Amino acid sequence: MAVLCKPAIAVPEHIITQDDTLELARRLHKDHSQLKLVLRLIEHTGVLKRHLIQPIDKVLKHPGLDARSAVYEQESKARVPAVVRQALEQAELEARQIDLIVYVSCTGFMMPSLTAWLINTLGFRSETRQIPIAQLGCAAGGAAINRAHDFCRAYPDSNVLIVACEFCSLCYQPTDLGVGSLLSNGLFGDAIAAAVVRGRGGTGVRLERNGSYLIPHTEDWISYAVRSTGFHFLLDKRVPGTMEPLAPALRAVADQQRWNAGELDFYLVHAGGPRILDDLSRFLEVPPEAFRFSRATLTEYGNIASAVVLDALGRMFEEASPREGHRGLLAGFGPGITAEMALGTWTAAA
């Protein structure tokens, strides 16, 4: 069975605190009619700090989509290799033993994908297959795990590298002044994560089953408007309430495995905001402590999009709390509204 190994995580060196964010909002939007609401919403995110690939003064400028695309390529090539090498080392594999690279990112675009550059640069075989995923947003971390699982089921001796590279700060749009846009300016952070799914052996989460679910007719609740100035993030005020229709989908996947979604040993889910975690706790009937890993990611890094699930998994590894046979749920939520869900059992290499 495929095993999701210990992930590697890296956040950039430039830090912005919640206090910094609130002060910027007061200064930049002092005449905004809903400033008090925006400040209150940012305070309630629980995000105490975020990490950015550029100093905040550069983030606040908009040099144009072409310049931002150049920054995305430069920074990804500078930062991703070290994370990939660490993930391979933690999985006790070498680059030439990887059969597929799944690369997910919704905050920049390259063609060919960064996967081609990685294969040419880091010693992967020329036969290595590539799956770049660009349009699943925050759900892509879960999707990457699930596509890696599917591949290992089809080719049982294979190994898959997952890479999530999210530079959310490159999507800042100074002219977007809606409440949802201003809230997102205080919520999203930058990060890179990578992990290996081993077809044989390995310590981590043995993947048992996966599934997807899309809430009908919600495709405009989370979206990008793609304009000459780049990606303009659109967030509907109904998004925080999406756990009520998604919780039954999580239960249904667990039921297929004859598990009770409310009685698992660990939960690693996308932390889009505190209400997502609070509602999941309520609808799945599990204690709030069950989502401590996801909540810690949100508090320390903000919403790091597709990298959240892998960062939460890394925190569980560091806590060393799971025991052989412990059962758990992994899930990413994103545009669509889409849920990518996986069930797994903790296993240690013999």
Side-chain angles (χ1 to χ4, degrees):
M1 298 289 286
V3 172
L4 176 60
C5 299
K6 183 178 181 179
I9 314 294
V11 291
E13 61 276 17
H14 303 289
I15 295 174
I16 181 169
T17 67
Q18 186 182 82
D19 288 342
D20 296 333
T21 301
L22 293 170
E23 180 56 33
L24 278 171
R26 293 187 187 98
R27 176 165 60 86
L28 296 175
H29 309 294
K30 58 185 178 181
D31 297 324
H32 197 287
S33 62
Q34 294 181 287
L35 178 60
K36 288 184 179 180
L37 171 62
V38 170
L39 296 176
R40 187 167 68 250
L41 291 173
I42 292 174
E43 287 177 332
H44 289 169
T45 62
V47 178
L48 297 186
K49 69 176 175 67
R50 294 170 291 149
H51 293 251
L52 311 173
I53 59 170
Q54 301 179 106
I56 188 61
D57 60 328
K58 284 193 174 182
V59 172
L60 294 176
K61 297 175 182 177
H62 196 330
L65 178 58
D66 52 348
R68 282 187 168 177
S69 296
V71 171
Y72 178 87
E73 180 173 354
Q74 176 184 339
E75 293 293 334
S76 59
K77 288 181 176 179
R79 297 175 186 271
V80 168
V83 183
V84 167
R85 291 189 183 102
Q86 184 183 350
L88 290 170
E89 180 180 347
Q90 290 171 173
E92 300 182 325
L93 293 177
E94 298 179 2
R96 59 184 176 80
Q97 295 174 280
I98 296 297
D99 302 284
L100 166 69
I101 301 174
V102 183
Y103 178 83
V104 296
S105 179
C106 63
T107 51
F109 181 82
M110 292 170 59
M111 192 168 72
S113 165
L114 192 73
T115 51
W117 182 84
L118 290 171
I119 291 170
N120 286 323
T121 305
L122 298 186
F124 296 96
R125 304 188 326 274
S126 294
E127 296 82 9
T128 306
R129 303 185 199 191
Q130 308 169 60
I131 301 181
I133 301 175
Q135 293 163 293
L136 282 178
C138 298
I145 293 169
N146 290 347
R147 299 299 74 79
H149 181 201
D150 293 343
F151 188 84
C152 288
R153 290 177 66 188
Y155 305 97
D157 294 320
S158 297
N159 302 304
V160 181
L161 172 69
I162 296 167
V163 181
C165 178
E166 299 292 10
F167 300 149
C168 301
S169 61
L170 292 179
C171 297
Y172 171 72
Q173 297 289 348
T175 60
D176 289 353
L177 302 179
V179 171
S181 295
L182 296 180
L183 170 60
S184 71
N185 293 341
L187 180 63
F188 287 92
D190 299 346
I192 298 167
V196 171
V197 175
R198 289 185 54 142
R200 304 285 186 192
T203 293
V205 179
R206 185 176 70 236
L207 300 170
E208 310 282 1
R209 179 183 295 273
N210 68 63
S212 300
Y213 183 79
L214 184 142
I215 304 175
H217 310 302
T218 57
E219 62 266 34
D220 57 346
W221 288 19
I222 302 175
S223 63
Y224 276 163
V226 183
R227 301 173 183 153
S228 59
T229 47
F231 303 144
H232 292 253
F233 183 64
L234 303 176
L235 180 69
D236 191 280
K237 63 182 180 181
R238 292 170 288 184
V239 169
T242 50
M243 290 306 102
E244 184 169 6
L246 286 181
L250 297 174
R251 288 191 177 277
V253 169
D255 288 345
Q256 292 170 15
Q257 193 68 15
R258 298 185 179 178
W259 293 1
N260 185 331
E263 297 179 356
L264 302 178
D265 301 297
F266 59 86
Y267 297 83
L268 307 167
V269 303
H270 177 68
R275 184 176 168 186
I276 298 293
L277 303 176
D278 292 343
D279 281 0
L280 271 182
S281 174
R282 180 158 56 99
F283 292 123
L284 293 182
E285 299 179 15
V286 298
E289 177 70 7
F291 300 104
R292 63 190 179 279
F293 306 116
S294 300
R295 202 175 296 275
T297 298
L298 183 65
T299 299
E300 296 178 25
Y301 295 161
N303 183 340
I304 50 175
S306 65
V308 168
V309 172
L310 293 176
D311 184 70
L313 173 63
R315 293 173 187 274
M316 187 174 75
F317 265 92
E318 292 299 325
E319 187 182 88
S321 54
R323 297 291 179 262
E324 188 73 30
H326 274 192
R327 302 177 301 176
L329 169 72
L330 301 89
F333 311 121
I337 299 288
T338 300
E340 287 282 343
M341 305 161 285
L343 300 176
T345 304
W346 184 265
T347 185

